[in-house]
Amino acid sequence: MISASGRQKVLYSISETNDESTDDIYDYMHINNELINTCKHKYWPTVFDSGLITQQVSSVIFFVVIFIYLDNKTLEPGDVLYGNALLILLGLCFYRWLNLPFGVRLWKDNLKTLSAFILFGFMVSPVIATLTKTISTDTIYAMSTIMMLAHLIFYDYGCETAMVQKALSFSAALFSAVCLASRLATSLHTFTMVSCAVLIFTVGSELRKLVKAESLKTFIFLTIIHVILCIIFLSRLSFIHCFLYGISVLLLTFICPKWLISLQKYKTSMRGPWDEAEISLDK
Amino acid sequence: MTNKKIHHICMVSDFFYPLIGGVENHIYQLAQCLIDLNHKVIVVTHAYNDRVGVRYMTNGLKVYYLPFVPFYNNATLPTVFSTIPLIRCVLLRENVTIVHGHSSFSTLAHETMYHAKTLGIRTVFTDHSLFGFSDISSVITNKVLQISLVDCHHVICVSHTCKSNTMLRANLSSNDISVVPNAIDSAVFVPDTTKRSNERITIIVASRLVYRKGIDLLIGVLPKILKTYPNVEFKIAGNGPKEIDIQEVREREAYEERVQLVGSVSHDKMNEFLNSGHIFLNTSLTEAFCMAILEAAACGLLVVSTKVGGIPEVLPSNDTNSDIMILCEPDVQAVYIGLCKAIERISNGNGPEVSEWHEKIKHWYSWKKVAIQTQTIYNNISEKVPLTLNDRLKRYKRCGSISGIVMSFIAIVSYFIVIFLNYTQPIHLIDDASGYTREKFELAYELRRQNDKKTK
């Protein structure tokens, strides 16, 4: 350690008696000043980035709304499946429009995956439909709520922390979907529900990430569409939920970034000789 | 010493023999030297597998292996209240006047110190490690340390870097902390240049082979040095997860013959192992004190070390041509240059004066000196008034609002538990442990030897 006077403090010259007076208090205090502000956020980019969270929350709401409509027979499973197919085609066009690579091979691969999914989906739907017959509906609802929350918490919003668990997040969403699907009347309903889940939580979320990387304007536009659709759907179900959703979107998009930025000044760290050295291994 | 006050000291840490390491060695050597100064010392640690109960070591050092189960990194589960009855019993039975905890990772040390404070016994704490401030685990550990040290009578750190680190971590003032360095048993580490190879220059590495010890640096520098100097060989002692990486480099570059991996070397063989080399390489990324370089230097090896933590304080390194240590920044290129300098010095016959450095280190770092300094601290604090519950509550308020309230609550509950225990297990019914003095130990040892002879 270098003392305030610039002299290296050493252990080997300590005299026989424990001489405390040689310890200069200021030697130890000057390190206190080495506070470093570690990172800076700007307001508007943070607001735009928060769109990813808004979109993900909205997707979960879409999914639940579809479940409710299917459950109270407002929607027929066939219609939803047509809608899904339409959405896939729309997404495909969107993908092309973003000028992302798309060759014959990818086309073939995708068709293969799609046919495998439809085949297996139809095969296991009757099993899923009766999977939770013995479990009470309340339990299932509670379970799927928790799983959806887990999905939202561990979802990869683009920052690299220990919180991000892509596999866990996706499994939680699918688990929740299967739970909800097993409450529905027929196996076609179940299949519809599972296909919606796959569409929303895998294909949809991947596409959103691509959009975010490619064009910010489209991404913001997409966020707005999500919010508007969500409000329309929710307002038909219940006013109070719609209101809550609106409030939370405002909070998430405008107030939380402000809060995050105002908290940045507390994010300091002290550096000193005690820190573990970092080695660069490129040599 | 003019002050002949006899202290009953209880050294407590989760880390003690049969584990091997700096803290374990420190506790044992310090305890032995304090026994030599006529103090009564016991060691309290947790059980290791079937090693439970009381054991006696050399000179009647009594070791309590308490039946608590370690759960992570050999530290016990922090339960706070469940340890009170047993620890109270030990402390009262042994008439302990000072509890001396070691290592901030040790839960048992913190808990025992906490109960000692409840019982009105003075406490000292020795910090052996450095800690950053940047991640969540260090935030939590630092809070625990702050809470534990706020009502501790005195803190000892092993180096000035460690002191400034502990001051910042635990928010203590400079007066509460003393620096007492580690030491080595210089009778064990004696230089012997005849064991060195004459044709080759041997570089010794002795550490656990883990990331924190900078084994990645070693792996980076190994092929470079071997390529530049055909007369250099490496001897690497120790084991750990990075061993496989070293083996891989060794095989890839076809240096099997010039890089020896000898596995772990027991402490009594260490002297011999160190004496077989010319240069000692330490690549640690963080180190509060580093005993390994001291041991190597006592054997007269030229030390090349990374400039991290408290290492620059340990040995002089100002003059690269005569001093015993060459410091380098912790990156591959700098370590390479440092090693090159060292090899040049050795091959020019310009190595450190072996016996002279041995004498110097013997003078600078002896356990006896450490024990005398520690004794001074014990004498100082035994004159201070012990803290009452009220004082402690006032001090906890300094630790922040939430932890202050939590700790005050725990302190009050422990206080009630002790009152309850005083009722169910009255102090006058707890027998004093008979003092097992050094003389008695020697007598018993002699008797046993005679018995052994008779049976033969």
Side-chain angles (χ1 to χ4, degrees), chain A residues 211-245:
Chain A
V211 170
K212 186 166 182 276
E214 289 295 317
S215 137
L216 188 66
K217 269 188 191 150
T218 325
F219 180 72
I220 296 166
F221 177 67
L222 211 61
T223 310
I224 295 168
I225 289 196
H226 269 84
V227 174
I228 291 172
L229 281 180
C230 236
I231 287 176
I232 292 171
F233 282 144
L234 279 175
S235 62
R236 294 178 57 132
L237 274 177
S238 113
F239 172 72
I240 191 109
H241 286 96
C242 183
F243 180 68
L244 283 176
Y245 172 77

Side-chain angles (χ1 to χ4, degrees), chain A residues 55-265:
Chain A
Q55 288 185 17
Q56 201 59 29
V57 172
S58 309
S59 317
V60 171
I61 291 173
F62 284 148
F63 182 74
V64 175
V65 166
I66 291 171
F67 168 76
I68 293 169
Y69 280 150
L70 279 175
D71 199 31
N72 61 20
K73 307 230 164 41
T74 321
L75 273 177
E76 283 304 313
D79 298 344
V80 179
L81 279 178
Y82 283 131
N84 282 353
L86 202 70
L87 271 178
I88 287 182
L89 285 177
L90 260 176
L92 215 63
C93 299
F94 207 53
Y95 191 80
R96 279 300 294 149
W97 181 67
L98 285 169
N99 285 326
L100 288 160
F102 198 80
V104 182
R105 235 196 106 161
L106 206 65
W107 190 226
K108 246 165 79 185
D109 282 352
N110 277 331
L111 268 184
K112 219 154 95 191
T113 320
L114 184 68
S115 44
F117 169 73
I118 291 175
L119 194 69
F120 281 95
F122 265 118
M123 269 164 65
V124 295
S125 292
V127 182
I128 295 174
T130 53
L131 195 63
T132 58
K133 274 267 147 54
T134 52
I135 302 167
S136 82
T137 309
D138 285 351
T139 316
I140 292 296
Y141 284 174
M143 184 85 98
S144 29
T145 311
I146 292 168
M147 284 300 146
M148 276 302 175
L149 283 178
H151 165 73
L152 287 177
I153 290 168
F154 295 111
Y155 185 73
D156 177 19
Y157 297 106
C159 56
E160 284 171 15
T161 56
M163 277 294 276
V164 175
Q165 303 276 342
K166 279 185 195 171
L168 176 67
S169 167
F170 176 60
S171 317
L174 262 198
F175 182 68
S176 174
V178 168
C179 279
L180 286 181
S182 65
R183 288 290 104 177
L184 292 171
T186 66
S187 52
L188 187 64
H189 279 87
T190 314
F191 175 71
T192 311
M193 212 58 223
V194 174
S195 63
C196 279
V198 172
L199 193 66
I200 290 172
F201 296 117
T202 60
V203 189
S205 75
E206 283 306 310
L207 187 66
R208 273 202 296 274
K209 269 179 212 163
L210 288 176
V211 170
K212 186 166 182 276
E214 289 295 317
S215 137
L216 188 66
K217 269 188 191 150
T218 325
F219 180 72
I220 296 166
F221 177 67
L222 211 61
T223 310
I224 295 168
I225 289 196
H226 269 84
V227 174
I228 291 172
L229 281 180
C230 236
I231 287 176
I232 292 171
F233 282 144
L234 279 175
S235 62
R236 294 178 57 132
L237 274 177
S238 113
F239 172 72
I240 191 109
H241 286 96
C242 183
F243 180 68
L244 283 176
Y245 172 77
I247 296 251
S248 50
V249 165
L250 283 181
L251 204 75
L252 211 67
T253 317
F254 297 108
I255 296 170
C256 283
K258 196 108 213 167
W259 195 26
L260 179 76
I261 287 159
S262 72
L263 286 176
Q264 286 304 307
K265 64 172 176 282

Side-chain angles (χ1 to χ4, degrees), chain B residues 220-411:
Chain B
V221 86
L222 204 70
K224 283 178 131 182
I225 287 289
L226 291 173
K227 238 172 249 165
T228 327
Y229 298 98
N231 62 335
V232 169
E233 63 171 2
F234 277 86
K235 276 189 182 178
I236 300 168
N239 46 23
K242 290 275 178 189
E243 191 174 344
I244 195 114
D245 296 336
I246 299 176
Q247 276 169 356
E248 195 195 311
V249 170
R250 191 172 71 154
E251 266 162 46
R252 195 179 59 212
E253 312 271 339
Y255 286 128
E256 273 96 341
E257 191 232 346
R258 286 166 63 198
V259 180
Q260 283 182 47
L261 281 164
V262 291
S264 71
V265 173
S266 70
H267 206 250
D268 51 323
K269 297 262 168 59
M270 206 56 196
N271 179 43
E272 204 183 315
F273 178 69
L274 287 174
N275 272 320
S276 68
H278 302 80
I279 298 169
F280 184 85
L281 174 63
N282 171 52
T283 50
S284 287
L285 302 181
T286 174
E287 199 80 67
F289 182 83
C290 198
M291 272 200 201
I293 60 168
L294 209 52
E295 289 169 355
C299 289
L301 272 74
L302 181 59
V303 176
V304 177
S305 174
T306 44
K307 192 178 179 178
V308 292
I311 288 177
E313 299 169 32
V314 178
L315 288 169
S317 58
N318 303 320
D319 184 357
T320 30
N321 288 321
S322 63
D323 274 339
I324 190 129
M325 183 159 71
I326 297 174
L327 282 180
C328 38
E329 293 300 324
D331 68 73
V332 174
Q333 192 57 32
V335 174
Y336 172 71
I337 292 167
L339 269 179
C340 289
K341 273 186 206 158
I343 293 166
E344 296 296 332
R345 262 182 72 182
I346 297 287
S347 48
N348 293 342
N350 199 11
E353 199 55 53
V354 172
S355 51
E356 184 196 319
W357 279 103
H358 179 74
E359 286 305 315
K360 272 189 187 172
I361 286 164
K362 195 171 161 182
H363 173 68
W364 289 335
Y365 298 104
S366 75
W367 285 111
K368 203 158 195 168
K369 225 164 101 177
V370 173
I372 289 170
Q373 285 179 7
T374 314
Q375 181 184 250
T376 319
I377 291 165
Y378 290 158
N379 288 340
N380 285 342
I381 66 158
S382 65
E383 280 156 21
K384 288 183 192 164
V385 277
L387 292 173
T388 62
L389 184 64
N390 209 359
D391 297 333
R392 287 177 67 199
L393 296 186
K394 269 180 201 153
R395 290 197 184 196
Y396 287 137
K397 270 188 199 159
R398 280 196 246 149
C399 298
S401 47
I402 297 171
S403 45
I405 290 169
V406 171
M407 287 317 286
S408 305
F409 176 74
I410 294 175

